[in-house]
Amino acid sequence: MSEVPPTRMNQQIYKAKKKAAQGGHKLLKKKADALKVKFRDYAKAIAETKSSMAGDAASAFFSMTQAEYAAGNFKQKVAEGSMSARIRVGAGVDNVAGVKLPVFSKYETGAAADNQSLGLVGGGKKIVAVREKFTVLLNLMIKLASLQTSFQTLDEALKVTNRRVNALENVTIPRIEDVLSYISRELDELEREDFTRLKIVQGKKEQEEKESAAKAAIAKKNPGKENDADITAAFDATDDEDVVF
Amino acid sequence: MATPKPNSPGDITTFNILHGFPEALVRGMRSSFLQDADYHHLTQCETLDDVRLNLTESDYAEALADSNTMTPASLQKAAIDKLVTEFKYLRTQTVEPLAKFMDFITYEYMIENVMLLLKGALSGRDINELIEQCHPLGMFKESTMRSIPTFENSSKGYADLYQTVLVDTPVGPYFALFLQESVQHRGADARNVLEEVEIEIIKSSLIKYWLEDFHQYVENLGGDTATIMGELLKVRADTNAINITLNSFGTPLNEPDMRTSDRKRLYPAVGHLYPAGTSMLIDVQDEEELGRVLDLFPSYSAIWNMHAGGSGDKSIDDGFYERDVQMLELAFESQMHFAVFYAYVKLKEQEIRNLVWISECILQQQKDEINKFVPVFSQHCPWRMGKKH
């Protein structure tokens, strides 16, 4: 506080700063609220997806058991064969209240389905069922992964924004207000000093005037008592009449 | 007393001379199957440790004694190893022609192993991992197995592969037939056939040749073996044909041009459905037509109705399993033939499937589905109960 000279210019500067800080604070609060709403939405979505995934995962693995009962062990055949991915995950960016969130989307590469004739001599239907169930599970997993990464990023962003809001609220703005109040106090005091000085000067001036007025009054009361040394003083221009021809 | 010619199994008077001991062994092993009471106890278990406890009273006690904790996979491995030990023991006690018969049983698993090794080698997998995945009943010489992935992935490579490696294995001839047919069919591109054609289709073709070969051999043996085993193989071929047709809907195999060229080549030339049924099956393109074709064959229409009518509870695979178990159990009812050995292996496989099913259901907490297995030699199965009335 002592660094800032209490001038009117500084007062203007700091008023502007306070306005900016307050404006920024309002905006950040809005952003934090928007993020909070999204945060709650994501949390709900994640809870829902997780609970449905439990059931889907159980049924997917059970359909695998059924398929192995009907078709024998086909795990090695799938694992040892050549595999080309039919489904890929793409990473994208979603913008929420200015925060960039990572999202995963699934897209199919359109490659031919391998191992289509896997259960040819037995259990074919069950293997098709396994494929379907695991596709559903895969979709859920991609969705859940996307939700969770977004949730984490959102969490970070929310924390940062809240920190900034709190900083503005509890540190920056009070400081600026302190400076402003100091400046205004100092200015007031300067004004008061000025005022008192002015009053004193005025008083002195009045006194001087009084003195000079008193001197003049005394000089008027005693006109003949002026000095002989001063000859011209005895000669008055109105003593003689003008000579007119 | 002259030793009978080692070409036929003999009939009721001469069978026991050469093959009496193995048959006695197999019948002894028949009593090691889990009973209804055992299955009942197993389905009541809450955890896999309970299952293990219950199994210690059965024949599986030694097999499970080594492991500390049990998973369905470890149970399956232990059970299969036990079966393989028993099979090898039986095999060492046999002489021709029973020895060749038992070898025929193993060719099925050998085909699967060869396909696995070839496909895995094409994708560049480690040979040791692949050998571990092979079915133990179908192992052939280790040196042969190790040399499969050393061949280059080119047309010359395959020719070499066949000349040096596969020709040694017992399933080599099936491969030769398959490649020959591919050349006939596709022309000069046959060398790339291993890469292009899906592994399952190659395997189905090889199994087809195996079934025909086996059937031929069994017919030559004559006697009860030919009757009973021939029937079993015919039913197996029909099951394959129906399954191939049913499971090809929705895959490229079902397109009109593929049907006549590729799918037709997968139907075996043995079985009740051959030749009239299979020629009708070639043109079938959806389930309705398949149902109509099967209505002409009463034994299969019953199973088909199980699939078409209530697709919720039982599937067509369950129907086939039940029918197979029934026929295989009947094989044990008569003596002096080789089919009991085949029946023993297949029924033991079904039991292993049941055990894995039960333990998976317990592990995944799906208790309502746990009874969907087919018990072997059950006193309460429908066809036995039906007889009693």
Side-chain angles (χ1 to χ4, degrees), chain A residues 58-59 61-63 65-73 76-83 113-126, chain B residues 76 116 119-120 123 125 130 133 198 200-201 203-204 240 243-244 246-247 251-252 287 315 317-318 321 350 353-354 357 360-361 364 366 369 373-374:
Chain A
S59 83
F61 279 96
F62 191 63
S63 73
T65 310
Q66 284 177 318
E68 288 198 329
Y69 179 74
N73 284 357
Q76 298 104 313
K77 293 184 202 166
V78 177
E80 305 300 340
S82 58
M83 289 187 276
D114 292 326
N115 297 316
Q116 264 193 349
S117 57
L118 201 50
L120 204 53
V121 263
K125 290 270 172 290
K126 292 277 162 62
Chain B
Q76 189 181 39
L116 189 69
K119 210 57 174 169
S123 311
R125 306 251 186 252
L130 290 174
Q133 310 272 15
E198 283 190 44
E200 275 301 298
I201 297 187
K203 187 177 144 213
S204 303
N240 275 9
N243 269 335
I244 287 175
L246 180 60
N247 293 325
T251 72
E287 299 202 359
S315 70
D317 301 302
D318 289 325
Y321 277 155
Q350 179 64 31
R353 252 189 300 241
N354 291 345
W357 174 260
E360 284 275 5
C361 281
Q364 295 185 18
Q366 303 264 12
E369 308 268 336
F373 57 88
V374 184

Side-chain angles (χ1 to χ4, degrees), chain A residues 31-107:
Chain A
K31 175 172 173 174
D33 285 339
L35 288 180
K36 216 182 285 177
V37 166
K38 272 283 165 156
F39 188 77
R40 248 179 257 140
D41 284 343
Y42 271 110
K44 203 163 76 165
I46 286 185
E48 273 176 18
T49 314
K50 273 194 183 166
S51 61
S52 79
M53 222 171 99
D56 284 340
S59 83
F61 279 96
F62 191 63
S63 73
M64 180 81 171
T65 310
Q66 284 177 318
E68 288 198 329
Y69 179 74
N73 284 357
F74 54 88
K75 263 192 211 164
Q76 298 104 313
K77 293 184 202 166
V78 177
E80 305 300 340
S82 58
M83 289 187 276
S84 56
R86 258 197 327 143
I87 293 183
R88 284 184 191 268
V89 175
V93 177
D94 189 23
N95 196 327
V96 167
V99 180
K100 295 215 175 354
L101 300 175
V103 281
F104 297 131
S105 56
K106 151 190 141 157
Y107 65 93

Side-chain angles (χ1 to χ4, degrees), chain B residues 143-160:
Chain B
S143 54
T144 321
M145 282 201 283
R146 287 195 179 274
S147 55
I148 287 183
T150 62
F151 284 89
E152 309 158 357
N153 195 352
S154 70
S155 59
K156 182 99 183 10
Y158 285 135
D160 287 343

Side-chain angles (χ1 to χ4, degrees), chain B residues 224-253:
Chain B
D224 275 345
T225 306
T227 323
I228 301 179
M229 196 60 204
E231 186 63 27
L232 284 172
L233 287 175
K234 283 200 178 100
V235 163
R236 174 100 187 252
D238 292 336
T239 309
N240 275 9
I242 296 176
N243 269 335
I244 287 175
T245 318
L246 180 60
N247 293 325
S248 68
F249 300 149
T251 72
L253 208 49

Side-chain angles (χ1 to χ4, degrees), chain B residues 71-121:
Chain B
T71 66
S74 72
L75 173 60
Q76 189 181 39
K77 188 157 184 341
I80 290 186
D81 285 341
K82 172 175 176 287
L83 170 63
V84 171
T85 320
E86 291 168 0
F87 186 85
K88 286 198 179 134
Y89 176 60
L90 280 177
R91 174 73 180 74
T92 51
Q93 310 295 326
T94 58
V95 295
E96 293 292 335
L98 180 51
K100 181 130 177 77
F101 184 88
M102 290 192 81
D103 285 340
F104 258 108
I105 301 180
T106 64
Y107 292 168
E108 182 185 352
Y109 304 100
M110 228 180 257
I111 290 174
E112 209 171 301
N113 289 348
V114 166
M115 289 322 302
L116 189 69
L117 286 172
L118 277 176
K119 210 57 174 169

Side-chain angles (χ1 to χ4, degrees), chain B residues 84-365:
Chain B
V84 171
T85 320
E86 291 168 0
F87 186 85
K88 286 198 179 134
Y89 176 60
L90 280 177
R91 174 73 180 74
T92 51
Q93 310 295 326
T94 58
V95 295
E96 293 292 335
L98 180 51
K100 181 130 177 77
F101 184 88
M102 290 192 81
D103 285 340
F104 258 108
I105 301 180
T106 64
Y107 292 168
E108 182 185 352
Y109 304 100
M110 228 180 257
I111 290 174
E112 209 171 301
N113 289 348
V114 166
M115 289 322 302
L116 189 69
L117 286 172
L118 277 176
K119 210 57 174 169
L122 272 180
S123 311
R125 306 251 186 252
D126 181 31
I127 180 70
N128 291 313
E129 286 175 14
L130 290 174
I131 290 187
E132 268 178 47
Q133 310 272 15
C134 283
H135 196 285
L137 261 183
M139 302 295 254
F140 39 95
K141 260 187 356 196
E142 177 115 357
S143 54
T144 321
M145 282 201 283
R146 287 195 179 274
S147 55
I148 287 183
T150 62
F151 284 89
E152 309 158 357
N153 195 352
S154 70
S155 59
K156 182 99 183 10
Y158 285 135
D160 287 343
L161 179 65
Y162 173 68
Q163 298 291 356
T164 44
V165 173
L166 290 177
V167 78
D168 278 342
T169 65
V171 296
Y174 305 140
F175 234 97
L177 281 173
F178 173 67
L179 285 174
Q180 215 175 32
E181 211 188 324
S182 304
V183 167
Q184 258 179 355
H185 207 75
R186 289 157 175 259
D189 296 337
R191 298 307 179 190
N192 295 334
V193 77
L194 267 184
E195 264 186 20
E196 292 176 1
V197 182
E198 283 190 44
I199 184 174
E200 275 301 298
I201 297 187
I202 303 181
K203 187 177 144 213
S204 303
S205 310
L206 294 175
I207 295 273
K208 166 187 117 157
Y209 293 122
W210 169 72
L211 276 174
E212 291 167 2
D213 199 20
F214 202 177
H215 190 257
Q216 181 81 11
Y217 178 73
V218 148
E219 291 286 321
N220 283 343
L221 287 179
D224 275 345
T225 306
T227 323
I228 301 179
M229 196 60 204
E231 186 63 27
L232 284 172
L233 287 175
K234 283 200 178 100
V235 163
R236 174 100 187 252
D238 292 336
T239 309
N240 275 9
I242 296 176
N243 269 335
I244 287 175
T245 318
L246 180 60
N247 293 325
S248 68
F249 300 149
T251 72
L253 208 49
N254 198 25
E255 282 149 38
D257 48 335
M258 289 287 272
R259 263 185 266 148
T260 40
S261 65
D262 288 347
R263 197 168 83 184
K264 169 176 163 201
R265 293 195 292 145
L266 294 175
Y267 296 136
V270 296
H272 296 295
L273 285 177
Y274 176 81
T278 50
S279 60
M280 277 196 273
L281 280 178
I282 292 175
D283 297 320
V284 164
Q285 62 181 345
D286 58 33
E287 299 202 359
E288 252 194 63
E289 290 186 20
L290 182 57
R292 261 178 286 162
V293 169
L294 287 179
D295 276 338
L296 304 170
F297 300 92
S299 50
Y300 299 122
S301 70
I303 298 183
W304 174 254
N305 287 337
M306 207 189 288
H307 165 85
S311 37
D313 216 22
K314 283 189 182 227
S315 70
I316 199 169
D317 301 302
D318 289 325
F320 279 130
Y321 277 155
E322 281 176 11
R323 201 271 319 272
D324 285 345
V325 165
Q326 178 185 354
M327 296 193 70
L328 292 165
E329 289 181 20
L330 285 175
F332 271 90
E333 296 287 321
S334 72
Q335 268 191 288
M336 316 296 183
H337 61 87
F338 292 162
V340 282
F341 297 92
Y342 178 79
Y344 174 71
V345 171
K346 289 290 162 193
L347 286 171
K348 249 323 192 215
E349 263 190 357
Q350 179 64 31
E351 185 178 85
I352 295 176
R353 252 189 300 241
N354 291 345
L355 279 177
V356 172
W357 174 260
I358 293 175
S359 24
E360 284 275 5
C361 281
I362 291 177
L363 186 63
Q364 295 185 18
Q365 300 289 317

